[in-house]
Amino acid sequence: MSIRHGLLALLVAGPRYGSRLRADFEARTGGTWPLNIGQVYTTLGRLERDGMVAQDDVDAAGRTLYALTDAGRAELRAWYDHPVQRTGPPRDELAIKLVMALGTDGVDVREVVETQRRHVTRALHEHVRQRAEALAGVPEHPERMARLLVLEQLVFHAEAEVRWLDHCEARLLRFVHEEEEPPARKQPEV
């Protein structure tokens, strides 16, 4: 998720200080994407430099409040209006691990697949449990609905990874089977 755009979206509700933005971001995303406070202030600095936010005031505790500018509102509107681009394949550590394991002596790629499957299956069960808890209460508040949507995304991603691992395992078994079979001898022509 774009931290930049997430902070702009939170500022629509009014001026906020950095640690409040961090807390609101984590609450809105159901704690799925924790932010480092340094990320928040670095991003706010860049947004201010780019004219998207401006220092608005200081609260009673002496914290600097940041407000959305017209340029920030326009940037946020453009973000909402355009689809998220899925350009180029992402660098997925698991895919890299599997393709590297294929050419490495002493590594059983099927065991790498199985280890990952066990891990993602446990994560899937936890996401499903959390989703059931979220569904137990009526998600009438935007933060509850946001958490539910994030949990459902996690469930779907985990399910997709399990399916992909099943596919990898099947492909690897065919590959190993083909490697073990002796080449077919050419039959003499009659």
Side-chain angles (χ1 to χ4, degrees):
M1 168 169 189
S2 167
I3 296 169
R4 171 184 178 96
H5 292 103
L7 296 181
L8 289 174
L10 292 169
L11 287 170
V12 168
R16 292 195 173 34
Y17 52 92
S19 58
R20 170 76 190 273
L21 284 166
R22 175 182 175 227
D24 289 349
F25 183 93
E26 290 181 1
R28 185 69 64 91
T29 62
T32 304
W33 296 295
L35 289 181
N36 177 301
I37 194 64
Q39 287 177 291
V40 172
Y41 282 107
T42 299
T43 304
L44 285 170
R46 289 181 183 139
L47 288 168
E48 186 175 20
R49 177 200 66 203
D50 296 341
M52 308 280 176
V53 302
Q55 292 185 20
D56 184 56
D57 203 353
V58 177
D59 70 3
R63 296 174 292 215
T64 301
L65 298 174
Y66 293 86
L68 195 59
T69 65
D70 289 341
R73 281 181 184 24
E75 173 69 18
L76 187 58
R77 176 55 35 213
W79 184 57
Y80 284 134
D81 288 345
H82 292 87
V84 174
Q85 297 296 314
R86 305 285 188 202
T87 57
R91 287 188 185 160
D92 183 276
E93 184 178 352
L94 177 57
I96 293 169
K97 181 188 279 190
L98 291 179
V99 298
M100 294 301 166
L102 276 171
T104 304
D105 289 335
V107 176
D108 183 349
V109 181
R110 289 176 292 184
E111 184 55 36
V112 174
V113 168
E114 185 54 36
T115 297
Q116 185 67 24
R117 185 185 355 262
R118 283 191 305 270
H119 168 75
V120 76
T121 300
R122 282 191 301 271
L124 174 60
H125 289 295
E126 180 60 19
H127 300 324
V128 168
R129 184 192 64 73
Q130 290 176 355
R131 180 180 64 182
E133 287 176 3
L135 286 169
V138 179
E140 63 258 344
H141 191 276
E143 284 184 9
R144 287 187 190 156
M145 179 57 74
R147 177 159 173 68
L148 181 59
L149 292 175
V150 169
L151 287 168
E152 288 174 337
Q153 183 205 33
L154 293 172
V155 167
F156 293 143
H157 277 281
E159 288 172 341
E161 186 169 316
V162 168
R163 283 192 313 272
W164 182 69
L165 289 167
D166 291 344
H167 171 78
C168 289
E169 183 177 50
R171 174 131 356 247
L172 289 167
L173 287 173
R174 283 192 303 271
F175 175 73
V176 168
H177 180 70
E178 289 169 4
E179 289 282 309
E180 291 173 354
E181 281 186 7
R185 285 193 259 190
K186 194 172 184 180
Q187 296 292 328
E189 292 183 30
V190 182

